[in-house]
Amino acid sequence: MSGCYSKAQGFKHGGCGACVLLLSKYNPVLDQVDDFTVSSCLTLLCSINGCSITTIEGLGNTKDGFHPIHERFFGFHASQCGFCTPGMCMSLFSALVNAEKTPRPMPPSGFSKLEVSEAERAIVGNLCRCIGYRPIADVCKSFAADIDMEDLGFNSFWRKGDSKEVKINSLPFYSPVSIEELQRLLGFVEGGYGSRVKVVVGNTDMSYYKELESFDKYIDLRCIPELSMIRRDDTGMIIGATVTISKAIEALREGNIVWKKISNHMEKVASGFVRNSASLGGNLVMAQRNHFLYDIATVLLAIGSLVNLMYGLKSEEITMEEFLRRPELDLKSILVSVKIPDWDRIMSISSGTKMKLFETYRAAPRPLGNALPYLNSALMAKISRCASSNGMVVSDCRFAFGAYGIKHAIRATKVEEFLTGKVLSVDVLNEAVKLLRSIVVSDDDTSYPAYRSSLTADFLFEFFSHLVEGNAESPNGYGNGYSTLMSPARHLDHGAIIQASGEAVYVDDIPSPTNFLHGAFIFSTKPLARVKGIILKPKSVADGVNAVISFKDIPGENLGIKTGFVADTQKHADMAADLAVVDYDMENLEPSILSVEEAVKKSSFFEVPSSFQPKQVGDFSKGMAEADHKILSAEIKLGSIQAPEYTQSTITRCLRIPEHNIRVITRRVGGGFGGKAMKAIPVATACALAAYNLRCPVRMYMNQKTDMKTTGGRHPMEVTYSVGFKEDGKITALHLDILINAGIAMRGPEEVQGTFISEAVIEHVASVFYMDVDSVSSKNLHTFNSLDFFYKGAAGELKEYTLPSIWNKLAASSSFKERTDMIKQFNMCNKWRKRGISRVPIVHEVLLRSNPGKVSILGDGSVAVEVGGIELGQGLWTKVKQMTAFSLSAIKCDGMGDFLEKIRIIQADTLSLIQGGLTAGSTTSECSCEAVGICCNILVERLTPIKEKLQEKMGSVEWGILILEVEVNILTGQTTILQSDIIYDCGQSLNPAVDLGQIGAFVQGIGFFMLEEYLSNSNGLVIPEGTWTYKIPTVDTIPRQFNVEIMNSGHHKKRLLSSKASGEPPLLLAVSVHCATRAAIKEARKQLLHWKGLNESESTFQLEVPATMPVVKKLCGLENVEIYLQSLLS
């Protein structure tokens, strides 16, 4: 047991950054040590021979002292669940180490040579599900010498206005040092010396192409000088095949403008810690052999790059175009180098009247990359002034397009030939666009084929538009300016800093007992079928598989146990599961019901439990009678272990043994936010069943593919509503029929969807009168009486109702009216970018549940506390510690200084503290605090047990307001959040730092409404298998200006210390992103009608959830470029 916990297993394919560490390697060419981050999940152990490794434990720890990075993650309240924090710390540490090597001036004390622009990108590729990135970005920027202190948010370091002054032979691994040695090794392979051999550099390909079997031999190419050099001459730059993408970027950045643009584009390939290991040649071989969809081959194709290949003793230099078109390279074919030409020198373009145009384009879910593109392109042209007109003549051009559903990138040679020699004009560009559309056609099984085809036209138009229009709209730069409107307060929790230092223990860090086994599920690929049997391939049986566990092995109730393998290692169990073949019987079975619509047609409904039956509020008929206008039967369609006690009871029923023989221990949970409260139960029960049958311990770590298949999904809805309203937009009646396809909740079950539905109704009402949506929202804002009417007994008192005042306060502080006018002007002046702004209120009812607590004062005065709630990163332990210290302080004993350090929260144990309940609903912290407070009062006052008081709970209603501004690029459909302003009423916050982090749930909502697309196949099986195909928000998708104010409102005698919940309610505010995007799309559709010469008013439209780039682009017009050009010709 090493005590090292930092290398968290996240997605295990380089997509999350949780296991990032620093690799230091001597560079003999430059006689220096290169420091760079790598993903440990992708890095072969043998490949780090001769390297130095720094993990988070090498930075600091509890015993030896913490690194400033740890302290700032702590001080900036930038760690919630903490599971991925060590990886983020290492990414930042690498940036700091490399910044210190630069010749920049020495920074002031407490700062580094890092610049803000570098700091903002330090953690690109590191994923977080909890805190919303803003505090993490502040940590990074706090080390930058050029930071504006006022840009830093809520922290305990500085206040607003403060100044800056304050061995390898025994392994199956070969590292040849020459091409000749490599060829001999490959000859041995061909002669059958090794049947399974892999040639590697960084081994990053396994992040995308999952390895179902292990290899006998590995051949590492990095020690061959001919493959690792970078050389520049008068005709261009030659880059060895094993040069990392990061090193290639550095070299190109020092070249001409074309090379600089290539380097900028290559920075959007994967993430920094993957580019540090991935090689340029490896990426190109993947494109040629595996038809990999990334950008490098496309960009290098456009500029006429050459590829040096070697076959045995023969070598040849061919064009990138020929390289991509050739049959797939075999193992004995070696890519030696790539030559990137210097076109400035070759064509002497810099002189005379000729000019060169070069641009690269990509449309992808994330602006800064680390996402496969829908389309990528690189366009280059040589143009000159026409002697007979003022136009520009295209004398030469090269256009490359890739990632649109064909095997590899291609050149649009017909378009090149068409344009060469022509004078650029609207008519010529229009014909070129039409021709391009006919050439770039996606394969049949490609997603969003119309969208990708549209992008080809958009990119070509954008490339030449400034020459035919006389002006060009360039994209805005990326940046973050964060601010917060709170006074600093200390995050009183030691947990954050041990999370940052990698000392916090999660489930997979717990040492395994001796003679234990590993499990893996076999998931069904059919939605409805009988399993006749499982055919085991010989290979899967040979590799360590001990048993197959199925429903036949259940001694008690069958509660839906999945079939699975048990093996000696997790890898062998996973491999067996992947190689298993299930024999299905579907005879005499009804067709599967996979949608809400199919369920309605076949009358397939679950009976709604009485507690979930909808309750009518008011008189609908009367309200409709009072209405001046009505909308009838409108439709909306919407896609869409924290419970140890329930785990204990489930295992008990499955094994048919008493509960006292089942013990469930939960210390902390990483990444628990979002509909996963019950998802650990099947895993725990399966492990218990296997352990019960095999009489040995069993553990399971689900890989990302299985996790996504078994726990992924949403619960789509079909909503039909009728609404009555007055001339001024005041709603008098609303009836909703909601059909839900029961699935997995996002977070805040049904609350997120409810908020979306309410805003959709408001927008529909506003569209009837062509009214501003915000004015209709204002008319329908809750009064205290209406709030009390809807949430009987939970509305609180009139003096506490702050929603209307927050509505007006936020409008003033964010300059809402002025920004609205500016957006109107912006939309009038910009054809290809439209902005929208939305002000959204949220009202969220939270219900308190009984939670147990136990407080023990030990002989030395220290305190041990147990609660039923589970620490997820929501600050439960922090608040419970504070509550304990506050309540016990009434004893007023000597030596109570720094009392918090004497209090320890004990992990949840179902045999120590029973009836722990469920950690969900945003109120577990408050309920646990109240239970602990009662315990403390008993200890302090020696009162009799007051068990009844634990049941005397009441719900409450939480509220907040958000104003959010977006900009939509109607050429690509990309939505950029420019600014968000949030005011959230936390009551009397128990800990503002914790609550501020919880408001980061808003960013998770951005994922729900804009990014996180759960696609399924015809059998209803979820398609996404990990971070390559499922995109959650990253630091480059949060608002550029992210303003948050926590409002501390008045005293409430019925709430715990007058506090309010802050977990799920802010999530609902993210509906504003969708609303603002819809407003921007509306402007684009108006413009499209104008180009068509139509005067008809804009009809209503539905913006799907999530509003991904293809969805937004479709609504803005897939053929908007052609329509615009045609309007100019007309």
Side-chain angles (χ1 to χ4, degrees):
M1 182 64 185
S2 66
C4 298
Y5 308 121
S6 65
K7 297 168 290 300
Q9 294 191 65
F11 299 124
K12 295 200 288 187
H13 48 69
C16 68
C19 66
V20 165
L21 46 76
L22 186 74
L23 204 65
S24 302
K25 183 178 183 181
Y26 176 66
N27 185 331
V29 177
L30 299 178
D31 190 27
Q32 67 182 29
V33 175
D34 294 334
D35 300 285
F36 50 92
T37 51
V38 298
S39 289
S40 60
C41 66
L42 301 180
T43 305
L44 292 170
L45 181 63
C46 306
S47 69
I48 58 175
N49 180 49
C51 299
S52 171
I53 302 171
T54 305
T55 67
I56 194 70
E57 295 83 8
L59 271 63
N61 49 58
T62 306
K63 181 179 179 181
D64 302 323
F66 294 105
H67 191 278
I69 293 177
H70 302 150
E71 294 173 343
R72 293 197 190 179
F73 264 83
F74 168 54
F76 277 79
H77 324 295
S79 178
Q80 285 196 13
C81 84
F83 188 77
C84 300
T85 303
M88 293 182 179
C89 291
M90 293 310 299
S91 291
L92 175 56
F93 179 66
S94 175
L96 294 174
V97 168
N98 285 290
E100 290 305 309
K101 299 177 183 179
T102 65
R104 298 167 187 165
M106 288 299 296
S109 177
F111 296 89
S112 73
K113 294 182 180 181
L114 196 69
E115 295 180 348
V116 168
S117 59
E118 298 167 329
E120 290 174 338
R121 300 169 187 268
I123 59 166
V124 170
N126 291 85
L127 300 188
C128 171
R129 203 52 157 152
C130 306
I131 207 164
Y133 297 103
R134 199 224 58 209
I136 304 170
D138 281 348
V139 170
C140 299
K141 293 194 292 184
S142 73
F143 286 95
D146 60 339
I147 183 64
D148 181 347
M149 302 297 289
E150 298 302 312
D151 282 345
L152 293 179
F154 184 31
N155 69 89
S156 59
F157 284 94
W158 302 289
R159 301 175 184 273
K160 292 290 183 180
D162 281 355
S163 67
K164 289 187 177 178
E165 285 71 32
V166 239
K167 203 156 233 241
I168 190 164
N169 289 334
S170 62
L171 297 173
F173 199 84
Y174 300 99
S175 295
V177 296
S178 68
I179 290 181
E180 292 76 15
E181 185 180 356
L182 172 61
Q183 291 170 335
R184 288 197 300 271
L185 286 171
L186 294 176
F188 293 155
V189 172
E190 189 178 45
Y193 180 72
S195 58
R196 292 180 293 183
V197 175
K198 185 177 183 181
V199 178
V200 298
V201 177
N203 197 48
T204 55
D205 65 313
M206 68 171 290
S207 68
Y208 190 75
Y209 302 103
K210 307 300 183 293
E211 296 176 358
L212 300 181
E213 56 188 72
S214 60
F215 290 89
D216 298 320
K217 306 291 179 185
Y218 291 89
I219 301 177
D220 184 0
L221 305 181
R222 290 177 301 169
C223 296
I224 303 175
E226 295 95 327
L227 304 186
S228 59
M229 56 76 193
I230 299 177
R231 186 173 68 246
R232 183 175 178 177
D233 58 25
D234 290 341
T235 60
M237 182 182 295
I238 300 175
I239 303 178
T242 64
V243 172
T244 66
I245 296 174
S246 293
K247 289 295 182 183
I249 290 171
E250 292 177 9
L252 290 166
R253 191 178 290 134
E254 302 300 321
N256 56 50
I257 186 63
V258 171
W259 291 358
K260 285 182 170 69
K261 289 184 176 182
I262 294 173
S263 70
N264 291 335
H265 192 106
M266 288 170 66
E267 282 192 311
K268 297 176 181 178
V269 172
S271 55
F273 45 81
V274 173
R275 293 194 300 268
N276 292 336
S277 299
S279 66
L280 180 65
N283 188 281
L284 294 175
V285 170
M286 285 169 63
Q288 198 273 348
R289 182 186 292 163
N290 305 107
H291 312 137
F292 189 53
L293 301 178
Y294 249 132
D295 304 55
I296 295 179
T298 305
V299 176
L300 298 184
L301 174 61
I303 61 169
S305 298
L306 302 174
V307 175
N308 187 352
L309 294 174
M310 182 170 288
Y311 310 88
L313 299 178
K314 298 179 181 180
S315 66
E316 63 175 332
E317 191 172 67
I318 60 175
T319 65
M320 181 64 69
E321 191 171 7
E322 184 179 354
F323 171 72
L324 294 173
R325 283 202 302 236
R326 282 191 175 186
E328 297 174 6
L329 295 179
D330 58 24
L331 185 62
K332 294 192 67 177
S333 301
I334 305 169
L335 194 158
V336 178
S337 63
V338 178
K339 182 173 183 178
I340 303 175
D342 188 338
W343 284 103
D344 282 355
R345 297 186 181 183
I346 294 174
M347 298 193 296
S348 302
I349 290 176
S350 59
S351 62
T353 60
K354 295 181 179 179
M355 296 186 301
K356 176 186 61 186
L357 303 177
F358 179 78
E359 291 293 342
T360 68
Y361 302 91
R362 80 191 311 264
R366 291 173 178 162
L368 291 186
N370 199 27
L372 289 174
Y374 297 107
L375 184 82
N376 53 48
S377 178
L379 311 177
M380 184 169 68
K382 183 169 61 174
I383 61 175
S384 59
R385 287 280 177 194
C386 180
S388 59
S389 68
N390 292 325
M392 304 297 292
V393 178
V394 180
S395 57
D396 190 16
C397 54
R398 299 174 65 93
F399 305 145
F401 297 89
Y404 62 91
I406 61 171
K407 290 183 177 180
H408 52 72
I410 66 164
R411 281 179 55 190
T413 52
K414 290 185 179 180
V415 181
E416 296 170 3
E417 294 167 357
F418 171 79
L419 285 173
T420 300
K422 286 187 172 60
V423 178
L424 284 172
S425 66
V426 171
D427 187 35
V428 169
L429 186 54
N430 189 39
E431 292 301 318
V433 165
K434 293 179 180 178
L435 181 57
L436 181 61
R437 283 268 206 159
S438 68
I439 296 170
V440 182
V441 179
S442 302
D443 290 345
D444 293 337
D445 58 349
T446 305
S447 62
Y448 305 113
Y451 172 62
R452 296 173 194 255
S453 177
S454 175
L455 288 173
T456 62
D458 298 340
F459 290 165
L460 183 63
F461 170 77
E462 189 170 349
F463 183 65
F464 283 123
S465 60
H466 65 290
L467 298 176
V468 297
E469 288 188 296
N471 63 349
E473 299 168 18
S474 59
N476 291 326
Y478 167 77
N480 287 292
Y482 302 117
S483 64
T484 182
L485 305 175
M486 292 178 58
S487 57
R490 191 75 173 171
H491 187 321
L492 303 173
D493 183 20
H494 188 62
I497 198 165
I498 67 169
Q499 287 169 185
S501 67
E503 296 173 273
V505 179
Y506 296 88
V507 173
D508 209 52
D509 297 320
I510 300 172
S512 297
T514 58
N515 301 318
F516 72 100
L517 298 174
H518 295 265
F521 287 134
I522 306 172
F523 58 84
S524 173
T525 58
K526 304 292 182 182
L528 181 62
R530 303 180 186 92
V531 177
K532 297 172 64 177
I534 300 174
I535 303 172
L536 302 176
K537 295 182 180 180
K539 187 175 295 183
S540 63
V541 176
D543 289 338
V545 175
N546 293 69
V548 177
I549 302 295
S550 71
F551 73 96
K552 300 176 182 178
D553 301 296
I554 300 173
E557 297 180 43
N558 185 352
L559 303 172
I561 289 294
K562 304 174 180 68
T563 299
F565 285 103
V566 180
D568 57 348
T569 67
Q570 190 66 60
K571 183 176 182 179
H572 286 159
D574 290 340
M575 288 169 58
D578 283 327
L579 295 170
V581 177
V582 181
D583 184 13
Y584 296 103
D585 176 16
M586 304 179 65
E587 186 178 354
N588 299 325
L589 291 177
E590 292 289 330
S592 304
I593 299 174
L594 301 176
S595 69
V596 173
E597 293 83 359
E598 292 173 358
V600 172
K601 290 178 181 179
K602 297 184 179 182
S603 299
S604 176
F605 303 106
F606 288 100
E607 182 178 348
V608 180
S610 58
S611 59
F612 286 94
Q613 285 286 354
K615 298 176 177 60
Q616 181 167 313
V617 180
D619 191 331
F620 173 74
S621 299
K622 180 181 178 182
M624 291 296 279
E626 295 174 353
D628 299 326
H629 301 271
K630 301 178 179 67
I631 298 174
L632 303 176
S633 301
E635 290 189 356
I636 303 172
K637 293 184 180 181
L638 183 61
S640 171
I641 182 129
Q642 298 151 221
E645 178 191 348
Y646 300 159
T647 305
Q648 181 185 33
S649 63
T650 302
I651 295 173
T652 293
R653 293 166 59 192
C654 177
L655 301 184
R656 196 177 291 165
I657 57 177
E659 285 193 16
H660 66 249
N661 285 338
I662 306 296
R663 185 181 189 182
V664 182
I665 299 174
T666 312
R667 181 160 183 81
R668 56 168 59 85
V669 173
F673 296 117
K676 296 186 285 291
M678 301 294 183
K679 288 303 172 180
I681 296 179
V683 182
T685 307
C687 286
L689 177 62
Y692 179 85
N693 281 276
L694 300 176
R695 295 296 187 263
C696 67
V698 177
R699 72 186 303 163
M700 183 187 299
Y701 192 105
M702 287 205 298
N703 58 47
Q704 196 61 35
K705 175 181 178 179
T706 305
D707 187 24
M708 293 289 286
K709 300 293 186 185
T710 57
T711 69
R714 286 288 185 263
H715 44 268
M717 293 182 177
E718 184 176 286
V719 182
T720 304
Y721 64 89
S722 296
V723 59
F725 48 95
K726 294 287 190 179
E727 291 280 354
D728 61 356
K730 177 69 175 179
I731 294 176
T732 60
L734 175 65
H735 178 87
L736 294 165
D737 290 307
I738 303 177
L739 298 171
I740 307 176
N741 185 353
I744 311 303
M746 166 65 180
R747 186 181 178 185
E750 280 64 70
E751 296 286 351
V752 181
Q753 293 84 351
T755 303
F756 170 77
I757 292 167
S758 65
E759 292 303 319
V761 172
I762 290 289
E763 291 191 358
H764 197 166
V765 170
S767 69
V768 172
F769 301 120
Y770 305 102
M771 293 175 64
D772 182 64
V773 175
D774 189 73
S775 64
V776 178
S777 294
S778 299
K779 285 287 182 180
N780 291 282
L781 206 64
H782 264 302
T783 65
F784 177 76
N785 291 333
S786 67
L787 190 75
D788 191 48
F789 186 63
F790 273 81
Y791 303 100
K792 301 182 185 301
E797 302 174 7
L798 176 59
K799 63 181 180 179
E800 299 170 356
Y801 184 53
T802 60
L803 184 62
S805 63
I806 294 177
W807 181 263
N808 297 324
K809 179 181 179 181
L810 187 58
S813 65
S814 68
S815 304
F816 178 64
K817 184 179 184 303
E818 294 83 355
R819 286 165 60 195
T820 301
D821 294 338
M822 291 171 63
I823 287 172
K824 291 178 180 178
Q825 187 64 32
F826 177 91
N827 289 337
M828 290 176 59
C829 299
N830 291 269
K831 297 184 186 72
W832 306 110
R833 293 181 180 274
K834 300 297 179 182
R835 291 182 178 179
I837 192 168
S838 175
R839 177 167 52 158
V840 172
I842 60 105
V843 175
H844 185 284
E845 183 180 20
V846 295
L847 301 175
L848 303 183
R849 300 182 303 273
S850 297
N851 276 64
K854 182 167 68 175
V855 179
S856 305
I857 301 177
L858 308 181
D860 63 351
S862 61
V863 180
V865 182
E866 294 180 68
V867 292
I870 306 302
E871 175 59 67
L872 311 175
Q874 80 280 45
L876 184 152
W877 284 5
T878 301
K879 292 181 177 180
V880 167
K881 286 181 71 172
Q882 287 181 270
M883 186 65 187
T884 305
F886 174 79
S887 300
L888 292 181
S889 64
I891 302 175
K892 297 181 179 180
C893 294
D894 294 337
M896 293 193 70
D898 203 15
F899 190 39
L900 280 170
E901 297 300 320
K902 298 181 180 180
I903 301 171
R904 179 186 178 187
I905 313 299
I906 308 299
Q907 63 193 16
D909 186 335
T910 56
L911 292 185
S912 178
L913 196 67
I914 64 172
Q915 298 178 345
L918 172 67
T919 300
S922 303
T923 58
T924 310
S925 296
E926 284 67 29
C927 295
S928 297
C929 284
E930 186 167 355
V932 167
I934 293 173
C935 292
C936 292
N937 290 337
I938 294 173
L939 291 169
V940 173
E941 301 175 15
R942 300 296 182 182
L943 294 177
T944 57
I946 50 172
K947 178 180 179 181
E948 293 78 14
K949 284 191 175 183
L950 283 171
Q951 310 302 324
E952 295 174 5
K953 310 287 184 182
M954 64 166 292
S956 64
V957 181
E958 326 296 334
W959 45 79
I961 307 289
L962 178 144
I963 293 176
L964 183 136
E965 182 180 346
V966 304
E967 181 178 293
V968 173
N969 183 328
I970 67 175
L971 288 174
T972 65
Q974 179 178 321
T975 300
T976 302
I977 306 174
L978 301 178
Q979 181 173 335
S980 66
D981 300 85
I982 299 174
I983 297 181
Y984 186 76
D985 187 346
C986 267
Q988 297 285 312
S989 175
L990 292 178
N991 189 309
V994 171
D995 290 333
L996 182 65
Q998 285 289 283
I999 293 174
F1002 162 71
V1003 173
Q1004 187 173 1
I1006 293 175
F1008 176 81
F1009 283 108
M1010 304 300 293
L1011 295 170
E1012 299 179 35
E1013 189 175 22
Y1014 265 96
L1015 301 174
S1016 59
N1017 63 16
S1018 58
N1019 286 323
L1021 187 67
V1022 174
I1023 294 175
E1025 295 181 355
T1027 57
W1028 281 101
T1029 48
Y1030 185 75
K1031 298 300 180 185
I1032 71 172
T1034 49
V1035 70
D1036 54 336
T1037 51
I1038 65 175
R1040 292 183 175 177
Q1041 187 74 21
F1042 199 164
N1043 304 320
V1044 182
E1045 177 181 354
I1046 288 182
M1047 180 177 179
N1048 285 317
S1049 58
H1051 172 72
H1052 192 311
K1053 62 183 180 181
K1054 293 185 179 180
R1055 292 196 185 107
L1056 176 67
L1057 300 180
S1058 299
S1059 69
K1060 289 187 177 183
S1062 62
E1064 292 174 346
L1067 175 73
L1068 311 189
L1069 291 170
V1071 70
S1072 60
V1073 185
H1074 195 271
C1075 294
T1077 302
R1078 192 180 188 280
I1081 293 172
K1082 187 176 181 180
E1083 293 299 314
R1085 291 168 68 89
K1086 287 180 181 178
Q1087 178 177 262
L1088 195 62
L1089 285 172
H1090 174 68
W1091 289 343
K1092 290 180 177 179
L1094 302 176
N1095 295 319
E1096 59 194 66
S1097 60
E1098 172 62 17
S1099 61
T1100 59
F1101 62 92
Q1102 285 198 15
L1103 178 58
E1104 296 175 24
V1105 176
T1108 59
M1109 291 172 65
V1111 169
V1112 173
K1113 172 63 177 176
K1114 182 178 180 180
L1115 289 173
C1116 292
L1118 291 174
E1119 299 180 350
N1120 51 13
V1121 164
E1122 293 95 319
I1123 293 170
Y1124 169 66
L1125 292 173
Q1126 195 62 47
S1127 72
L1128 297 181
L1129 293 171
S1130 301

